[in-house]
Amino acid sequence: MLADPAKASVDHSKQGEMLKIQRLIWYRMVRPMAIAVAMFAIAAAAVTVTTAPASAAPETWDAHNQNTVVARTSAAQEIWGARNHNTGRCLDDSFEYGLRAYGCNGSAYQKWTISAALGTWQNMATGRCLDDSFEYGLRAYGCNWSAYQTWGYSVVETLRNSHTGRCLDDSFEYGLRAYGCNDLNYQKWDLV
């Protein structure tokens, strides 16, 4: 039996209306959620952390070549504060006061995520990295994982910048600065 042409056109118009509703739902609800899920997946994939094998031995200080320790343990990242031997002050960064040496208080302004693989020191409160260059000097700056932000921590407890070769130095007379490495207490830092 053949279908009634009048009834078939009504069914097609209902199908057309249903298709419009489905498209409307897709563009207003499903599509934005799908985009958000895809963006979250991309962001999550970009934030992967690798760890060194447990058997990996930390590097040591080589006085002849001035090479420095990248990490004290095999962990990929550790959170530490840094206290100067000479002044007893801690490395501190805030948006209000900037990078400075300040009395140790254990706050997030004085906690640094140290990447063993990259040698970077990223402040927990500001998210900025310890940075030294001849053009701008010592500063906390947005992390870009360049050589300006790569630091080695030696077995004699100095922080040495990979790009400038200068060491993190703190004194009451000159304050916090990057200065030529000299192995004095002004440049020795305890990880706390």
Side-chain angles (χ1 to χ4, degrees):
M1 177 174 192
L2 292 174
D4 182 7
K7 190 175 180 183
S9 68
V10 170
D11 286 342
H12 283 294
S13 72
K14 282 184 184 177
Q15 286 177 345
E17 286 297 315
M18 288 300 291
L19 204 65
K20 286 180 187 176
I21 291 171
Q22 287 173 343
R23 285 184 184 145
L24 184 66
I25 291 171
W26 167 256
Y27 281 103
R28 291 211 176 146
M29 296 174 67
V30 177
R31 185 172 178 245
M33 285 189 292
I35 291 170
V37 168
M39 290 174 64
F40 178 77
I42 290 168
V47 183
T48 56
V49 177
T50 57
T51 57
S55 61
E59 297 175 34
T60 57
W61 179 262
D62 178 325
H64 176 71
N65 294 319
Q66 299 292 301
N67 293 328
T68 56
V69 172
V70 174
R72 291 175 62 150
T73 69
S74 61
Q77 292 186 336
E78 293 186 19
I79 297 173
W80 293 93
R83 183 178 55 228
N84 184 267
H85 280 217
N86 180 58
T87 63
R89 298 186 297 198
C90 285
L91 188 59
D92 183 294
D93 183 42
S94 68
F95 291 113
E96 187 174 353
Y97 298 105
L99 181 66
R100 63 185 179 164
Y102 189 72
C104 299
N105 57 33
S107 70
Y109 299 111
Q110 297 181 352
K111 297 291 181 190
W112 298 82
T113 302
I114 303 168
S115 170
L118 302 174
T120 56
W121 286 58
Q122 184 175 18
N123 186 269
M124 286 188 64
T126 64
R128 297 185 297 198
C129 284
L130 191 59
D131 183 292
D132 184 40
S133 68
F134 294 113
E135 187 174 350
Y136 297 105
L138 180 67
R139 63 185 178 166
Y141 190 72
C143 298
N144 57 30
W145 297 275
S146 68
Y148 302 110
Q149 297 180 350
T150 304
W151 296 81
Y153 184 75
S154 74
V155 294
V156 293
E157 301 172 325
T158 58
L159 274 166
R160 184 172 179 264
N161 184 273
S162 296
H163 178 73
T164 63
R166 298 186 296 203
C167 288
L168 192 62
D169 183 294
D170 185 39
S171 68
F172 292 113
E173 186 174 352
Y174 297 105
L176 183 67
R177 63 185 178 166
Y179 192 72
C181 299
N182 57 30
D183 207 26
L184 297 175
N185 279 340
Y186 302 109
Q187 298 180 353
K188 293 184 189 254
W189 298 82
D190 289 319
L191 298 182
V192 294

